Amino acid sequence: MPADQRPALWLDRISRRFGSRAVLEDISLAVPSGRITCLLGESGCGKSTLLRLIAGVDRPDGGTIDLGGTRIVGPDRFTEPELRRIGFIFQDYALFPHLSVADNLAFGLQGLDRRERRSRVAEIADRIGITHLLNRYPHSLSGGEQQRTALARALAPRPEVLLMDEPFSNLDQGLRERVRRETLEILRQFGTTAVLVTHDPQEALAVADLIVLMRNGRIEQTGSPFDIYDRPASSYAAEFMGPCNRLAGIWTRGSIETPIGRFAAGLDLPNGSAALVCIRPQALSIAPDGSGISARILSKTFTGESEQIEISVHPLFQPLRMHSHERIRMAVGDKVGLHLNGAQIHVFAEPVPLEQLSSLGGEIIHGEILTETVS
């Protein structure tokens, strides 16, 4: 493969076990150079373990890892962490409290002489905008200043890859968004290849060039944010990015029949097969009673930028949820007409509980990611 097309990192069939429990199974992944890759998933799915294997603070039980085309992990090779040219930002930043910011930045530059260390520290501090902090100590820094210092320390040795383990989770919501935006600007300015671990699907959508959705030690789906959200490969992926209305249905002549309508899908199933529909709340809208599917408003919650509305539709077991950015004049208890606008409807050939299938019932699922749009 030409050097300009070679991934920065290549993981091939990586596995890791802790006792009898398989934490990672058959993980293969190409991390693109100069891009931000997010390892996304719920707690315990193996994403932080995978990050430690890349960093070299843990060893896999099987598989290989190549960095820039050079094998660093394999059956007969293990490159020590300090020789991998991989930077790491920990969740709590792990700044040395007894060292000044300048000395924290210089810590990973021991291979340079004193003049070169000073020059590198001054350069990285200037580019990240923390020159005014160089003589201060970590305890006197704000959360955002600590994060920028940790970023500068990780980038000072000019690593080939930067690993970040939940780097914004310790910040308050408002500060988190600002620091995240500033960090992204810096990483893109440097052209850094970064691998970021997060459990937050909205964060992954906001920052990643490539999302790797993990589930129970395996990769569920890999793709761009648009791929993951618009073309989910499974109902798990669809539900992980946000709330979905989940409906049971019967496959008949190229479409799935549900209590609220028939939906076409690019599936190949025998007639009469059970299938599953996931409908985003934004795919639903309501109008005055007399049009669409007969329904009733159960609750309305105003969140500022939108209203969240729960709607009862016979014969569904659970209410449907919709989001509206327009003011809904109908009140709780009013009969309304339910419409589908065709957006974010996903059909999957997956098993459906019998109690749902018996009456084509449905339920609301709250989750976190997506895969394949069917309209």
Side-chain angles (χ1 to χ4, degrees):
M1 180 181 296
D4 59 350
Q5 299 178 16
R6 184 183 299 146
L9 268 174
W10 170 243
L11 286 69
D12 187 32
R13 307 194 68 177
I14 291 292
S15 63
R16 183 70 174 101
R17 303 183 68 88
F18 294 151
S20 61
R21 185 168 70 95
V23 180
L24 293 172
E25 296 186 79
D26 200 30
I27 298 292
S28 294
L29 174 65
V31 175
S33 180
R35 305 288 183 175
I36 299 173
T37 298
C38 277
L39 304 180
L40 175 65
E42 57 193 12
S43 297
C45 72
K47 55 189 185 298
S48 291
T49 298
L50 187 58
L51 207 69
R52 291 194 295 271
L53 296 179
I54 297 171
V57 297
D58 192 13
R59 297 182 183 227
D61 294 309
T64 62
I65 301 176
D66 292 356
L67 174 64
T70 300
R71 180 65 45 85
I72 60 173
V73 173
D76 56 354
R77 171 171 288 276
F78 182 81
T79 302
E80 295 298 329
E82 62 273 16
L83 301 177
R84 293 192 180 192
R85 293 190 55 79
I86 292 178
F88 204 123
I89 298 181
F90 297 90
Q91 186 173 357
D92 61 357
Y93 310 137
L95 298 174
F96 299 112
H98 62 291
L99 297 181
S100 68
V101 168
D103 289 337
N104 265 280
L105 268 56
F107 185 81
L109 305 175
Q110 302 305 315
L112 304 180
D113 62 36
R114 182 176 299 180
R115 178 178 297 178
E116 288 178 308
R117 283 201 303 273
R118 287 177 178 173
S119 175
R120 186 77 61 82
V121 166
E123 175 192 0
I124 197 73
D126 178 64
R127 293 191 66 176
I128 295 184
I130 59 170
T131 300
H132 62 294
L133 303 177
L134 288 177
N135 293 323
R136 291 172 58 180
Y137 285 79
H139 73 272
S140 69
L141 304 179
S142 68
E145 290 170 341
Q146 290 184 27
Q147 203 280 339
R148 291 171 73 87
T149 299
L151 177 62
R153 185 179 64 180
L155 292 176
R158 297 173 181 167
E160 292 187 38
V161 175
L162 176 64
L163 308 179
M164 308 173 75
D165 191 4
E166 301 271 9
F168 313 113
S169 61
N170 288 335
L171 302 174
D172 294 336
Q173 181 62 33
L175 181 60
R176 182 185 309 144
E177 293 179 2
R178 179 176 64 81
V179 171
R180 185 172 64 198
R181 184 174 61 254
E182 293 173 350
T183 301
L184 287 178
E185 291 174 357
I186 292 169
L187 293 178
R188 300 199 190 284
Q189 173 189 350
F190 277 71
T192 303
T193 301
V195 180
L196 184 150
V197 161
T198 181
H199 66 276
D200 182 351
Q202 301 307 309
E203 181 167 88
L205 289 174
V207 308
D209 298 301
L210 180 72
I211 293 176
V212 181
L213 175 61
M214 299 183 64
R215 180 188 186 190
N216 297 330
R218 292 182 177 272
I219 293 177
E220 182 78 6
Q221 184 174 356
T222 301
S224 72
F226 291 110
D227 289 334
I228 296 288
Y229 192 86
D230 292 338
R231 290 172 289 278
S234 64
S235 62
Y236 178 86
E239 292 161 0
F240 193 81
M241 286 318 296
C244 279
N245 297 294
R246 180 180 173 111
L247 301 178
I250 299 293
W251 186 259
T252 305
R253 295 188 301 275
S255 61
I256 181 171
E257 184 72 35
T258 78
I260 63 170
R262 181 188 293 266
F263 305 102
L267 302 177
D268 184 15
L269 298 176
N271 285 340
S273 299
L276 186 67
V277 177
C278 291
I279 303 176
R280 290 286 171 201
Q282 59 266 31
L284 301 176
S285 59
I286 55 176
D289 189 26
S291 66
I293 301 166
S294 180
R296 187 180 300 274
I297 296 179
L298 295 181
S299 70
K300 297 173 65 177
T301 303
F302 181 55
T303 63
E305 63 179 18
S306 67
E307 275 190 297
Q308 298 180 8
I309 303 167
E310 288 191 329
I311 308 163
S312 173
V313 181
H314 179 77
L316 301 184
F317 293 116
Q318 298 292 332
L320 299 178
R321 175 172 294 183
M322 63 164 285
H323 295 166
S324 176
H325 290 281
E326 299 179 355
R327 299 292 183 263
I328 300 299
R329 297 183 179 181
M330 289 79 85
V332 173
D334 284 356
K335 291 185 66 176
V336 295
L338 177 66
H339 298 263
L340 282 85
N341 58 31
Q344 302 301 328
I345 298 172
H346 310 283
V347 180
F348 304 100
E350 296 186 13
V352 178
L354 290 178
E355 65 272 14
Q356 290 188 31
L357 201 56
S358 62
S359 63
L360 294 181
E363 63 182 55
I364 290 286
I365 297 295
H366 306 283
E368 312 160 52
I369 289 199
L370 292 156
T371 36
E372 180 180 357
T373 299
V374 179
S375 58

